[in-house]
Amino acid sequence: MASSATAGGFSRVARSRAAVSARSERVLVRAAQGGDAAAVEALFRMHWPAAYRAAWFVVRDAQAAEDIAQEAFLAALAALDRFDRRRPLGPWLRTIVARRSIDALRARALRREVADDALAMAPAPERDDPCAGLDALAAVLAGLSDDQRTVVVLRHVLELTPGEIAQVTGLPRGTVNSRLRRGLDALEAWGRATREEAAR
Amino acid sequence: MSGLGDGLRELRAPGEDEARRRAWETASAAVPPADTAARSRRRAVLATAAAVVAAAGISVAAVSPAGSAVTDWVGDAVRDVVQEDPPPRAAELGELPGGGRVLVLSGAPVAEPVPVHGSSWIAGDAGPERLLGAVREATWSPGGRFVAATRGSELIAVDLRGRRRWSASADGEVGGPRWSPDGFRVAYLVAGGRELRVLAGDGQDDRRLTTDVHPVAPAWRPNVVRHTLAFARERRVVVLDADTGAVAYRAPAPRKLTGLAFSPDGQRLLLAGRRELRILHARSYPGTKVRAGSIFARYFAPADNRYEQALWSRGGQRVAVVRRTGRRSEVILLDGRSPQTRPRRLFAAGELGELAFSPDGRWLLVDWRETGGWLFLPLDGGRARQIADVDQHFAGDGDTRLVGWCCPPSG
C-alpha cells in the first residue's frame, strides 16, 4: 500500500506548521480559553488562511469558501471552553474544513446536473470565471478534476494524512492515494513543461 | 519535488485578504469575555453585541442574539458629508461617472387597458437607447446583457438592442420580476401577489412557487449553491429553495413592507418598511445562537418620517436610504456591517426618487425629482456631478424613473 510518499519522487510532506510547535499552540489555546483576544487572533492567523484556501480550491467559490472557513473557526471558538488542550487544535479544525468543503462540492455537483438538464437553452450564466486572476499553479490546480483536486488540496494545503483523507471522504485508502498520485502527476507535468518552456 | 509541495502550501486564494478581514470581524466578536463566569458558559455571542450609541440625541441600535436594546433613531445630528459648495459638475448620459449603463422607465403612466409606465431605456456610453415600449416594470439581468420587463400579463426578456428573447404570459398582471444572480431563474408576481412564479432564465419551465404573497418584489440570495429566494407574506418574510420549495426559515417583517434585498455577499437580508429598516442574518453560525432569520440590526424612522428607498452598496458594506419628512428628503448611508457606526447624511433636498450605486461602487446616483435631474454623489470624496433635465434625453416622454445601474455587458 502506498505511503504518504507519492509517485514522481515527491518526498514526504513537510508540515508547514512544524515551525509552530504543538506546545505553542497549547499555550495559545489556554490563553484563548481565558478570554485572551490576542491569543484568539494568533490562532486565527495560524489556521484561518489554510482553511479558506483549502475550501476555495475544493469548491472554487469564494462565498462558499468564506462560509466554510468561518464556520470552522467559529465552531472552534465555541468549543474552546471544553477543548482538551492535550490534543492539537489544528487537525481538528482542518477536519471540519475538509468535511464541509466536500459536502459543498457534492451539493454543487448535484445542482449543475439539474441546471444543465433543465436549462439547456438558457442564456449563459453571467458570472465571472472563478479561476480568473489566479497565478499559474493555482489555475492548474483549480483545473484538475474534482476528485483529484480535492485530495491534493486536503493533502498539501490542509496537510491531512492519506488516512485522514480516507476517513473524511469515505474513500478507500488506495483510492485516495491513486487520485493523489494522478493529481500530482498532472501538476508535475505542468511544472516540467513550464521549466522547459522557460529554458528555451 | 518539494518545490511543488511548497508551492501548493503557499498558494493564495482569490479574495483572501478581504475574506480574512470579514472573518476576523466576526470571529473577534465571538471571543468569550475574560472572566470566570463567562468561561463557564458554553454559548458564544456572535455578530455585534447590543449597543446604544447616544450622541447629541442620536441612537442607533444593534440587536444581538443575546439580547437587544432598540431605540429610535432621531437622525438630527448625523454628519453631513457632501458640502453644498462647490456646485456639482455637469455630467453626460453617455459618460456616466463610474461607467456602466442605467436602465430607466420613461413616459407618463397610461391607464388603459392596464396601467403601463411607458418605455424602458438604457443609457450608457452609446447614449440613450429605447428598448421596449408600453412596459410597467423592468429589471436588469445579473450581468447586464438582458432586461426583463412587464407589460400587462406578459413578462418579456429583451437584449440590449430591444430584441425579444422570450416571453411568458400569466393569468393576471405581472409584476416584481427579479433575475437570480446566476441568471438561471427569474421570479415574478402575478395579480399583485396572488401567485409567486419562477421560470428558467430562458423563459422555460414556468411554474407556480406559492400563492398569497405580499406585493413586494422577491429577492434572490447571492453567493449560495441553491436558488434561495425571499418573499413576503403578511408581516412575515419567508426564505426558501426555489427549486425544491423547501422553506429555510421564516421571520417577522416590519409593517408596511416595501422592499426585500439580500446583501451582495448573501450574509444579510434587508427588510425595508416605511417606518423601520430591519436587517436579518441570512445564515446560521454553528456553535452560536445566531440563526438565519434572527435580527442583526433595526433602524426606526423618527415620528413623521418615512423611508422611501433602501439599497445595499455594491460590496454590502453600506445601505443607502432615502428618508422623507414632509417635503424634505435626505440621503443617508448606514453601515451595513456595523450598526453602531453613526449614519452619514450625504444629501438633503426636496423630493428625491430612486437610488443606484455605480458598478464600481464609488458613486451613488440620486434621482433628484425636485429638479428633474440626476445627482451623482462621490462616496470617496470629490465633487458631485449632475445631469440636468433628464426627461429630455428620453424622447421627452416625461416622468423618467431610474430602475437600475449595471455593469457594461461582457462580450
Side-chain angles (χ1 to χ4, degrees):
Chain A
M1 178 175 294
S3 67
S4 58
T6 66
F10 198 116
S11 60
R12 179 182 174 184
V13 173
R15 300 225 166 209
S16 66
R17 288 170 180 76
V20 180
S21 66
R23 182 167 176 267
S24 59
E25 187 187 74
R26 283 198 297 273
V27 170
L28 288 174
V29 170
R30 183 170 64 236
Q33 287 172 330
D36 186 334
V40 173
E41 185 172 2
L43 290 171
F44 177 85
R45 291 185 188 283
M46 184 184 299
H47 294 297
W48 185 91
Y52 177 77
R53 292 167 188 168
W56 194 94
F57 280 104
V58 170
V59 299
R60 296 184 303 175
D61 181 278
Q63 185 57 49
E66 195 169 335
D67 283 354
I68 291 167
Q70 192 167 88
E71 287 168 8
F73 195 76
L74 290 174
L77 288 185
L80 260 186
D81 60 352
R82 62 178 186 274
F83 193 77
D84 182 357
R85 290 199 297 271
R86 292 169 295 181
R87 297 172 51 212
L89 179 67
W92 177 79
L93 192 150
R94 291 195 289 271
T95 301
I96 297 177
V97 172
R99 290 189 194 279
R100 293 188 177 176
S101 299
I102 291 168
D103 288 346
L105 181 64
R106 288 171 179 165
R108 287 170 66 85
L110 179 63
R111 172 179 167 269
R112 278 200 295 273
E113 290 172 8
V114 173
D116 287 343
D117 287 345
L119 303 171
M121 298 298 292
E126 297 167 333
R127 183 171 50 189
D128 289 342
D129 180 355
C131 301
L134 292 179
D135 65 22
L137 175 58
V140 175
L141 173 63
L144 293 179
S145 69
D146 288 352
D147 291 344
Q148 294 173 12
R149 187 179 72 254
T150 299
V151 294
V152 169
V153 170
L154 297 187
R155 183 76 181 102
H156 292 289
V157 179
L158 284 184
E159 298 181 343
L160 301 186
T161 65
E164 290 169 337
I165 295 173
Q167 195 171 16
V168 167
T169 59
L171 295 170
R173 180 94 173 247
T175 303
V176 170
N177 286 327
S178 64
R179 289 183 182 181
L180 187 59
R181 180 177 300 112
R182 287 198 296 273
L184 290 175
D185 284 350
L187 294 175
E188 288 168 359
W190 165 82
R192 280 194 299 274
T194 302
R195 287 190 295 274
E196 289 166 3
E197 181 69 26
R200 290 197 194 120
Chain B
M1 289 302 166
S2 62
L4 180 58
D6 291 338
L8 289 171
R9 279 190 298 278
E10 293 166 6
L11 280 179
R12 289 175 61 85
E16 186 171 316
D17 292 338
E18 267 300 301
R20 180 192 296 116
R21 184 187 60 77
R22 285 192 293 269
W24 176 240
E25 281 179 9
T26 304
S28 61
V31 175
D35 59 80
T36 303
R39 280 202 298 275
S40 66
R41 289 197 298 268
R42 296 190 55 152
R43 64 179 175 86
V45 176
L46 189 64
T48 52
V52 174
V53 176
I58 305 304
S59 295
V60 173
V63 179
S64 81
S68 64
V70 178
T71 63
D72 287 340
W73 171 32
V74 177
D76 287 335
V78 293
R79 285 184 292 117
D80 287 336
V81 173
V82 172
Q83 303 300 317
E84 294 186 358
D85 291 321
R89 194 154 58 92
E92 298 293 333
L93 269 182
E95 195 175 345
L96 299 171
R101 297 187 179 203
V102 290
L103 175 65
V104 303
L105 294 175
S106 184
V110 176
E112 302 292 341
V114 291
V116 296
H117 187 92
S119 300
S120 59
W121 296 71
I122 56 172
D125 53 11
E129 299 174 45
R130 188 173 181 274
L131 287 184
L132 189 67
V135 299
R136 187 162 188 239
E137 297 181 55
T139 186
W140 280 113
S141 68
R145 292 167 54 195
F146 307 99
V147 169
T150 66
R151 178 194 287 166
S153 62
E154 204 177 11
L155 177 64
I156 305 166
V158 297
D159 63 20
L160 298 189
R161 294 186 181 182
R163 295 175 300 192
R164 182 180 289 225
R165 295 297 296 261
W166 53 260
S167 64
S169 294
D171 181 21
E173 187 178 349
V174 172
R178 289 294 184 267
W179 231 299
S180 65
D182 63 4
F184 279 130
R185 301 283 187 274
V186 180
Y188 64 99
L189 302 174
V190 178
R194 189 188 69 206
E195 291 184 351
L196 171 62
R197 301 186 68 89
V198 174
L199 45 67
D202 63 349
Q204 302 297 313
D205 302 327
D206 189 0
R207 60 186 173 86
R208 185 176 67 195
L209 185 61
T210 189
T211 59
D212 296 325
V213 306
H214 195 64
V216 168
W220 293 96
R221 186 183 177 201
N223 289 315
V224 287
V225 173
R226 312 296 304 180
H227 288 119
T228 305
L229 186 68
F231 65 91
R233 281 216 168 93
E234 195 59 38
R235 297 299 309 279
R236 298 183 75 80
V237 62
V238 181
V239 178
L240 52 60
D241 183 324
D243 293 331
T244 66
V247 175
Y249 59 91
R250 299 178 179 85
R255 293 179 180 274
K256 298 182 181 178
L257 192 69
T258 58
L260 300 171
F262 283 98
S263 58
D265 60 7
Q267 304 268 7
R268 293 170 300 283
L269 174 60
L270 171 66
L271 313 181
R274 286 286 187 213
R275 296 296 310 281
E276 180 190 350
L277 301 177
R278 189 177 299 180
I279 300 178
L280 306 181
H281 290 285
R283 50 165 290 186
S284 301
Y285 292 86
T288 75
K289 286 192 174 182
V290 176
R291 294 290 177 263
S294 60
I295 295 176
F296 174 73
R298 299 173 80 175
Y299 304 87
F300 292 89
D304 299 326
N305 282 243
R306 68 173 188 268
Y307 297 118
E308 296 196 326
Q309 301 287 331
L311 182 68
W312 288 102
S313 65
R314 292 290 178 182
Q317 302 95 330
R318 294 174 275 208
V319 177
V321 176
V322 173
R323 192 182 68 184
R324 182 163 181 161
T325 308
R327 296 184 190 177
R328 178 177 172 81
S329 299
E330 296 175 302
V331 178
I332 297 168
L333 277 188
L334 310 175
D335 190 322
R337 292 179 178 171
S338 181
Q340 309 95 304
T341 304
R342 291 177 65 182
R344 300 163 57 194
R345 185 171 64 186
L346 286 185
F347 182 68
E351 184 181 3
L352 300 176
E354 287 75 26
L355 305 172
F357 282 95
S358 62
D360 63 5
R362 296 173 54 214
W363 297 86
L364 178 63
L365 169 54
V366 180
D367 180 2
W368 194 350
R369 288 192 188 149
E370 183 182 28
T371 66
W374 284 351
L375 186 66
F376 296 84
L377 300 175
L379 298 177
D380 300 323
R383 189 172 169 186
R385 299 189 190 175
Q386 183 176 5
I387 297 177
D389 195 12
V390 170
D391 287 345
Q392 57 99 5
H393 293 281
F394 300 102
D397 284 352
D399 195 23
T400 301
R401 187 154 61 90
L402 174 66
V403 174
W405 192 351
C406 191
C407 39
S410 56

